[in-house]
Amino acid sequence: MMHAFEEIIARADAFALFFDIDGTLVDMAARPDDVVVSDALCRDLVRARLRYDGALALLSGRSLAWIDTRFGDAVAAVGALHGLERRSAGGVCQRFPAPPTLAAARQAICTAFAAVPGIIIEDKGLSIAVHYRAAPEAFEAVRSLAEDLARESGGTLAALPGKCVVELRTTGAHKGSALDAFMLEEPFFGRRPVFFGDDRTDEDAFAAARALNGIAVAVGREPEAVGADLYLDDPPAVRAFLADAAAGGRQGGRA
């Protein structure tokens, strides 16, 4: 396993790096906006992006506006909202339109859960995420409503479960299709994609990377269970890899 990571670091001309954010690059937090994006992480992203000639992207369920607020100009290429928003390395942005069914679904979710203690409703514009980390007993009700609304949407919405969250999202793209789109563009074209992810929402990107002779890295999950090739323990381990990738090899003192 270590040999594979060492090859990815040594062959910066041959690989493209793709990172999920929550639970992969940054540690999970009780509330969605409480996650910490450190200056050190942004510096390592910039350095790694330069080493890999720009072939580094973030693939996240977060919105592009949220990512830009936290990461600034550390990363140019971003697949946001599970691919519904995408900005190329050259700065060209694409965004799927919101279906008419989303407004009614938003109202139904707010009516059902806005007053429930511990529930956080995150409106991302093209999707609505219902976080129940502080109210785990609400999981079945959250999942059931999201799935009902998806069925009633005529295929325009999909329910996407994650870690203590269920997201009702616009259909038409996912992290795998975003990765595929990047790989058709410079500076990603002709490289082997390496995707790091921790959640069920990342499995499309695992499959897309492997289909392109790339590598899928599961963070905190058994790789065999999620269709990945390699494993890292947690976000600190991912950040340690990124620091090594940015520097071109292992940093002094790291075991």
Side-chain angles (χ1 to χ4, degrees), residues 36-48:
V36 176
V37 179
S38 69
D39 291 342
L41 172 58
C42 290
R43 286 194 297 270
D44 283 338
L45 285 168
V46 170
R47 295 169 65 211

Side-chain angles (χ1 to χ4, degrees), residues 19-29 31-38 41-42 45 58-75 78-81 85 87 95 122-125 131:
F19 296 94
D20 169 51
I21 296 176
D22 293 276
T24 298
L25 271 181
V26 302
D27 300 281
M28 300 293 288
R31 298 175 59 87
D33 284 336
D34 289 345
V35 301
V36 176
V37 179
S38 69
L41 172 58
C42 290
L45 285 168
L58 301 179
L59 298 181
S60 174
R62 298 284 193 170
S63 69
L64 186 57
W66 187 97
I67 293 168
D68 284 347
T69 297
R70 272 70 177 184
F71 288 87
D73 58 1
V75 179
V78 177
L81 295 179
E85 294 181 323
R87 183 176 62 211
R95 189 175 193 268
E122 183 185 11
D123 190 344
K124 303 180 182 181
H131 300 265

Side-chain angles (χ1 to χ4, degrees), residues 56-244:
L56 184 152
L58 301 179
L59 298 181
S60 174
R62 298 284 193 170
S63 69
L64 186 57
W66 187 97
I67 293 168
D68 284 347
T69 297
R70 272 70 177 184
F71 288 87
D73 58 1
V75 179
V78 177
L81 295 179
H82 307 286
L84 294 170
E85 294 181 323
R86 194 176 72 85
R87 183 176 62 211
S88 72
V92 177
C93 294
Q94 299 172 326
R95 189 175 193 268
F96 279 67
T101 52
L102 187 61
R106 180 182 293 110
Q107 182 59 53
I109 288 172
C110 289
T111 298
F113 298 115
V116 177
I119 293 287
I120 298 172
I121 299 173
E122 183 185 11
D123 190 344
K124 303 180 182 181
L126 293 176
S127 67
I128 305 113
V130 185
H131 300 265
Y132 56 87
R133 183 178 300 275
E137 69 281 356
F139 164 67
E140 286 297 338
V142 171
R143 178 192 59 79
S144 179
L145 179 58
E147 290 179 351
D148 287 347
L149 292 169
R151 279 193 297 269
E152 294 166 4
S153 73
T156 61
L157 301 173
L160 189 65
K163 288 183 177 178
C164 296
V165 62
V166 177
E167 190 162 349
L168 189 68
R169 57 184 293 274
T170 301
T171 57
H174 49 66
K175 290 183 182 180
S177 63
L179 187 149
D180 285 337
F182 281 122
M183 293 304 297
L184 293 173
E185 303 169 348
E186 294 293 346
F188 300 91
F189 183 77
R191 293 169 176 257
R192 295 179 63 193
V194 184
F195 175 71
F196 297 76
D198 72 302
D199 206 347
R200 291 177 62 182
T201 61
D202 297 315
E203 291 175 14
D204 289 323
F206 288 157
R210 298 181 80 184
L212 293 172
N213 193 35
I215 299 171
V217 184
V219 180
R221 302 178 72 193
E222 289 299 326
E224 297 82 3
V226 296
D229 303 290
L230 302 177
Y231 170 86
L232 288 174
D233 287 331
D234 49 26
V238 177
R239 293 193 293 269
F241 165 85
L242 177 64
D244 290 338

